[in-house]
Amino acid sequence: MSARIQDRPGQDAIAQKGWRAAHKWLLLRRTSQIGILALFMISALLAVPHSENSAQSDGNTSVQSSGSSATPLLDVSPLQLMQEGGGVSTSENNPAASPKNKPKPTTGFWIIKGNLSSSLFLDAIPLTDPYLLLQMLAAGFKPAATAILGALIVAIFYLLIGGRVFCSWVCPVNMITDAASWARRRFGIKANHPLPANTRYWFMGGTFVAAALTGTLALEWVNPVSLAHRGLLFGMGAGLWFLVGVFLYDLFVAQRGWCGHLCPMGAFYSLLGKTALIRVAAPLRDDCNDCMDCFAVCPEPQVIRPALKKVGQDSPVIFDSRCTTCGRCIDVCGKKVFRLTHRFNPRSSS
Amino acid sequence: MSKEQNAERVAPPPEKPKVFPGRRKFLSGMAGAAGSGCLMALGAGLYSRQARALPALALRPPGALPEAEFLAACTRCGICVQDCPPRILKLASPGDPVPTGTPYFTARTDPCIMCEDVPCIKNCPTGALSPKLTDITEARMGLAVLVDQENCIAYLGLRCELCYNACPLIGKAITLEKRHNPRSDRHAMLLPIVHSEHCTGCGLCEKVCLLEEAAIRVLPPALAQGKGGKHYRKGWEEKEKHGGSLIGDQLELPVRGLENKAYGDTRVNDDAPSQQTPADLLPPPEITPDANSENKP
């Protein structure tokens, strides 16, 4: 309970369970976040060796590292094209006479194309961010069936496993804000001027209004989540400063300020996860020794109390959809009070 | 929160039974949330409005919807960028003059090579790059414009024709027009002329222009072309559509001494009227470059 312990929550758990067990979910989560990011990056690299000319591999890595650098990617000059093919790809041309005019990158195998906003898995399964799709509809555009199907797949997935699983297991910004939270605890930064926690829902509603009024996907100009993921894959540019801004805001201005109070994507996914099946519960809550470590690490501490302290509910399950199912409370609890279970599991020691 | 409510239930203040401190807190909190949330959204909206203009030298991939619609339709996913064989497309990052996250290319550095199967469109999830475009020659990414006749080599009377030769639709989108060279007075100039009905805006002409700054540039269609008033009608088209003059044939009064002339031709010389028709004064129509014709003295 002392301030010193709150600086480094989980010491008790490490002593009781060992370091690895006290970081199990954290490590799994980081593996998932980095793995998903790596999957996008690696599939872009893997797709290259199948293409026939070497310039494409150069092109690919340059897209990887920095999309903003202007690299001349044509390995044949247009004049050469003209000499070889007599003009590029007019339908009258014999295609065999101009092989360079029809490079086929699609022969390369793509695990996943695109980014978190919209992607194509194994060249077959479309995935689209349902929140982005709704903004698109608000902006007055009727998207093609592929995007709608993709959004349905994603929506159903998070509907079942928990909306904010996106936040803690997929979203790249989570690593930034987790780092800020860690630094806050470690260096004892106490300054905290949070906006009301409901701000995110109003912000989310506001993005639909903004989309409708401007006729564009207005949020996409500033959304740190898509800026981060797109930036890492296609070139960050000045998007880096948005992310630095989020980190500094969380570190110096408001505790868990972005993910816990502002992020409209988190707001959307928390609404999506209202009926999610997979939930964290506190079945052994009678063993709780009030060390408060779970509250110290939890990105949404208010969700723990009803389940752990039987405030307003009898079930040990954390029903609050703002819970990101990150499992960090399971990690840091020395008494093994928490576990990951499903929504309909009412078992508890009490 | 609920403890407070319990306290309320046990001992409600008798004089104001309907006021709950919990509600006041809730309402003020809600107002704060609403205010700041709406402010954030307003900020995003205003910023996007201000930052959505497409600069003159950024071109959209083939099949892109008109810009206003495109900004509502494009998810900024970059699948088109990854599907582009020569990798000319880029996604704009914040700080670029192009709307954040949207795909574009720059003709001068990386023009579109006009793949026959248009692979960039194939996997677009929303239709921001319209699947209706199946023939790449129908694409209208921009329109080439010879913006600088003062520096264009051809207008200086020198042989260049790089843009003409680089054009994938050679002889259609850019043709050469032969003109008399007034400087030397005995040579011809072969001037590149762009035809908007064929130009796809691929940018190869701009890429190959040998000047330090290209004299021919591909501009987004909206910038490259003027537009007549909606109410404008061309008299000769209307006449043809109607099958005759809409106001009845005009009365042609004979002019003494000029009986054989076309109506309105008031030139007095009637010795050789047929050789002086205005058509002869116009330059000859387009030619294809033919080495023999250039060698004429």
Side-chain angles (χ1 to χ4, degrees):
Chain A
M1 283 286 271
S2 77
R4 202 192 59 77
I5 292 171
Q6 291 287 294
D7 291 347
R8 310 190 72 170
Q11 294 301 311
D12 189 30
I14 294 171
Q16 299 278 327
K17 304 190 285 190
W19 192 91
R20 194 178 294 180
H23 292 83
K24 177 179 150 197
W25 291 101
L26 180 67
L27 292 176
L28 281 174
R29 225 150 50 75
R30 292 286 178 260
T31 311
S32 161
Q33 289 164 332
I34 294 169
I36 287 169
L37 198 55
L39 196 65
F40 278 97
M41 289 179 164
I42 289 169
S43 51
L45 290 174
L46 280 184
V48 171
H50 299 269
S51 51
E52 52 271 75
N53 62 40
S54 59
Q56 287 186 17
S57 58
D58 295 339
N60 206 335
T61 45
S62 89
V63 167
Q64 285 291 316
S65 58
S66 134
S68 56
S69 73
T71 328
L73 301 171
L74 278 170
D75 69 335
V76 279
S77 79
L79 279 173
Q80 278 174 288
L81 281 175
M82 183 270 295
Q83 286 154 4
E84 283 170 19
V88 185
S89 311
T90 51
S91 44
E92 302 92 328
N93 283 342
N94 176 10
S98 51
K100 284 264 166 88
N101 298 343
K102 303 182 55 178
K104 282 197 176 151
T106 43
T107 55
F109 177 67
W110 282 87
I111 302 167
I112 192 161
K113 256 180 217 175
N115 60 31
L116 287 183
S117 300
S118 207
S119 57
L120 185 63
F121 187 52
L122 299 176
D123 264 329
I125 303 166
L127 301 168
T128 298
D129 175 13
Y131 175 45
L132 194 61
L133 190 92
L134 288 180
Q135 288 178 70
M136 204 174 285
L137 293 172
F141 179 75
K142 267 202 244 155
T146 315
I148 297 172
L149 177 66
L152 276 179
I153 292 172
V154 175
I156 289 170
F157 177 77
Y158 286 116
L159 212 58
L160 292 178
I161 69 153
R164 293 205 67 193
V165 165
F166 169 79
C167 299
S168 57
W169 292 78
V170 180
C171 180
V173 174
N174 175 268
M175 287 187 271
I176 298 171
T177 55
D178 270 1
S181 284
W182 176 85
R184 231 173 202 281
R185 288 194 297 267
R186 200 78 173 80
F187 304 116
I189 298 166
K190 295 278 184 264
N192 193 12
H193 311 280
L195 290 163
N198 278 338
T199 305
R200 50 184 149 183
Y201 296 105
W202 289 94
F203 187 10
M204 185 199 78
T207 59
F208 292 125
V209 177
L213 290 182
T214 60
T216 67
L217 304 175
L219 178 66
E220 286 310 294
W221 267 264
V222 291
N223 183 359
V225 179
S226 53
L227 282 178
H229 197 256
R230 195 195 304 123
L232 288 168
L233 290 167
F234 295 94
M236 190 65 87
L240 184 65
W241 300 110
F242 284 80
L243 303 180
V244 170
V246 166
F247 178 77
L248 294 178
Y249 179 72
D250 266 28
L251 184 61
F252 293 117
V253 183
Q255 192 175 20
R256 298 179 291 271
W258 175 256
C259 296
H261 297 77
L262 282 178
C263 179
M265 282 189 88
F268 175 82
Y269 280 97
S270 88
L271 293 181
L272 196 60
K274 284 268 184 208
T275 56
L277 300 181
I278 295 178
R279 303 272 67 185
V280 175
L284 299 182
R285 55 191 167 187
D286 285 356
D287 294 350
C288 175
N289 61 358
D290 292 335
C291 74
M292 299 296 281
D293 277 2
C294 54
F295 286 93
V297 291
C298 182
E300 301 278 349
Q302 75 281 9
V303 307
I304 296 179
R305 218 156 77 94
L308 184 64
K309 297 294 168 194
K310 291 197 238 180
V311 179
Q313 73 176 50
D314 208 34
S315 167
V317 177
I318 296 177
F319 289 116
D320 195 317
S321 64
R322 288 170 295 180
C323 169
T324 67
T325 322
C326 70
R328 195 74 185 109
C329 53
I330 307 175
D331 279 350
V332 298
C333 183
K335 301 290 178 192
K336 301 182 185 173
V337 165
F338 297 95
R339 59 171 299 206
L340 199 66
T341 178
H342 59 82
R343 177 174 202 91
F344 306 107
N345 186 356
R347 275 173 294 179
S348 80
S349 57
S350 59
Chain B
M1 186 80 160
S2 75
K3 256 186 191 169
E4 285 164 15
Q5 280 166 357
N6 287 340
E8 291 292 326
R9 245 173 263 142
V10 173
E15 64 280 3
K16 283 183 184 175
K18 283 185 181 172
V19 174
F20 299 94
R23 181 191 289 174
R24 177 175 295 171
K25 196 179 159 200
F26 172 78
L27 285 177
S28 73
M30 197 58 105
S36 34
C38 293
L39 265 181
M40 300 277 295
L42 184 72
L46 285 178
Y47 176 61
S48 76
R49 270 191 84 80
Q50 179 253 328
R52 75 199 216 175
L54 190 67
L57 293 181
L59 300 171
R60 293 292 184 206
L65 298 173
E67 189 63 13
E69 224 180 317
F70 186 79
L71 291 180
C74 174
T75 62
R76 287 94 160 135
C77 69
I79 291 179
C80 55
V81 173
Q82 293 179 327
D83 276 343
C84 172
R87 297 256 171 189
I88 60 150
L89 294 174
K90 290 190 203 102
L91 287 190
S93 46
D96 287 351
V98 180
T100 299
T102 56
Y104 72 101
F105 70 97
T106 311
R108 185 60 166 165
T109 51
D110 304 303
C112 171
I113 66 164
M114 287 175 62
C115 310
E116 255 177 274
D117 49 351
V118 211
C120 48
I121 291 182
K122 210 165 53 186
N123 289 321
C124 179
T126 61
L129 303 181
S130 172
K132 283 178 199 149
L133 181 78
T134 48
D135 178 3
I136 187 64
T137 61
E138 298 294 320
R140 292 295 176 267
M141 296 169 267
L143 179 60
V145 182
L146 199 118
V147 292
D148 187 358
Q149 301 189 353
E150 289 177 350
N151 286 302
C152 173
I153 297 280
Y155 276 82
L156 297 177
L158 303 168
R159 292 291 302 272
C160 171
E161 294 141 42
L162 278 178
C163 54
Y164 169 81
N165 283 314
C167 180
L169 297 170
I170 187 167
K172 284 186 190 162
I174 301 182
T175 56
L176 291 178
E177 187 177 306
K178 191 165 138 191
R179 289 254 181 96
H180 176 69
N181 182 346
R183 184 171 55 83
S184 70
D185 208 23
R186 57 199 167 108
H187 296 95
M189 303 192 296
L190 289 169
L191 307 179
I193 307 291
V194 180
H195 300 276
S196 64
E197 68 268 33
H198 291 297
C199 177
T200 64
C202 70
L204 277 165
C205 53
E206 182 177 336
K207 161 91 178 173
V208 298
C209 180
L210 56 76
L211 299 182
E212 238 171 75
E213 297 289 339
I216 190 165
R217 293 183 187 191
V218 179
L219 304 176
L223 273 182
Q225 277 180 306
K227 194 176 177 186
K230 270 183 199 153
H231 60 291
Y232 287 9
R233 301 285 180 275
K234 288 164 185 159
W236 51 95
E237 281 176 7
E238 296 300 315
K239 191 173 171 183
E240 202 170 320
K241 232 189 283 172
H242 187 251
S245 172
L246 288 153
I247 54 168
D249 286 329
Q250 279 182 284
L251 186 63
E252 283 191 38
L253 294 172
V255 180
R256 196 165 306 175
L258 298 172
E259 283 84 358
N260 296 328
K261 301 273 186 179
Y263 183 71
D265 184 359
T266 54
R267 288 170 296 179
V268 186
N269 177 13
D270 56 355
D271 289 335
S274 61
Q275 281 146 26
Q276 291 288 323
T277 57
D280 278 8
L281 296 173
L282 286 176
E286 64 177 66
I287 57 153
T288 49
D290 179 9
N292 296 336
S293 67
E294 304 310 316
N295 293 337
K296 280 182 195 163

